[in-house]
Amino acid sequence: MRREPQDKQRDAERTKQRIVDAAVEEFAAKGFAGARVSAIADRAGVNKQLISYYFGGKEGLYRELTSQWQSTESGFADPSLSLAELVGGYVRANAANPAFGKLLVWEGLRDGEPTPEFVDDMRRNIEGLRERQRKGELPASLDPAAMLVALFAIAAAGVAFPQIVRAVFDEEPASAEFAERYATQIEQLLSRLAEG
């Protein structure tokens, strides 16, 4: 029986997704520098040549992960939300997808120079916080750059400090229970900031 082109395409898409899923886990566990293409291929159950074929190598695969995270992010990070709701969404997303959060933590631990695109994104975020200040959502006395760093740390706490979460909450950082409890508290804190 001859396979139809759409069957081959579906197989290719499934294979690519298996590679991406394996890469998320490998990069989350070891960071970009520590992750090995052969280990990703082993996790995915594919020949490592397919990583080059589909993604152009390790860097291309990492870019694909970034792209997939941005797609996920667009589903919960609506800029029209209040700052409290927005940060709460990141807390919940990091608990639901801790591997993606770990990728950002690993990037920070690598302590390399940020890409120009990343710098541009962060500057847009600072401008967004300035706009929220103008609208009264944040006190004018707060430095938007300092707030941005603090908000990233708040949202990443479950993936960056799982041992602290386990010790003080007696819950798993990737659990829905922790995410909801912590996100609710962060939302209350940020709402109080808005009240002045």
Side-chain angles (χ1 to χ4, degrees):
M1 183 171 141
R2 208 176 95 141
R3 293 181 60 193
E4 296 296 320
Q6 65 266 24
D7 291 337
K8 289 180 183 179
Q9 181 63 28
R10 279 193 293 268
D11 286 347
E13 290 304 315
R14 279 193 292 269
T15 299
K16 285 169 69 175
Q17 192 56 51
R18 281 200 340 257
I19 292 169
V20 167
D21 292 344
V24 168
E25 295 304 318
E26 186 70 13
F27 285 127
K30 299 176 182 167
F32 181 83
R36 299 286 173 254
V37 169
S38 58
I40 294 168
D42 288 346
R43 278 182 188 252
V46 300
N47 183 309
K48 71 180 184 177
Q49 301 300 332
L50 287 176
I51 293 172
S52 290
Y53 178 75
Y54 287 129
F55 302 100
K58 184 176 169 180
E59 291 83 5
L61 182 53
Y62 196 81
R63 280 192 302 277
E64 176 61 25
L65 298 182
T66 302
S67 175
Q68 287 201 8
W69 168 250
Q70 289 168 343
S71 293
T72 301
E73 187 179 33
S74 69
F76 67 84
D78 182 349
S80 69
L81 294 172
S82 72
L83 185 60
E85 293 168 320
L86 193 60
V87 175
Y90 276 99
V91 168
R92 290 177 183 95
N94 278 330
N97 303 291
F100 280 116
K102 288 178 183 179
L103 295 177
L104 187 61
V105 171
W106 272 110
E107 281 294 311
L109 293 174
R110 194 170 68 142
D111 199 22
E113 286 298 314
T115 66
E117 297 83 13
F118 185 79
V119 171
D120 290 344
D121 284 346
M122 293 303 106
R123 289 187 178 150
R124 277 191 294 277
N125 287 335
I126 290 170
E127 282 309 310
L129 289 175
R130 282 195 181 106
E131 182 59 30
R132 288 176 185 276
Q133 282 179 313
R134 285 190 282 278
K135 292 179 178 177
E137 195 174 354
L138 280 173
S141 61
L142 294 176
D143 176 356
M147 278 301 298
L148 184 63
V149 172
L151 294 173
F152 265 92
I154 287 169
V159 294
F161 303 108
Q163 73 281 23
I164 295 173
V165 170
R166 289 183 188 106
V168 300
F169 283 91
D170 198 27
E171 293 174 340
E172 281 302 308
S175 71
E177 294 78 18
F178 162 73
E180 196 53 42
R181 182 176 170 193
Y182 180 61
T184 299
Q185 292 300 302
I186 295 307
E187 287 167 346
Q188 287 179 17
L189 175 70
L190 292 172
S191 293
R192 289 206 174 114
L193 269 179
E195 295 165 4

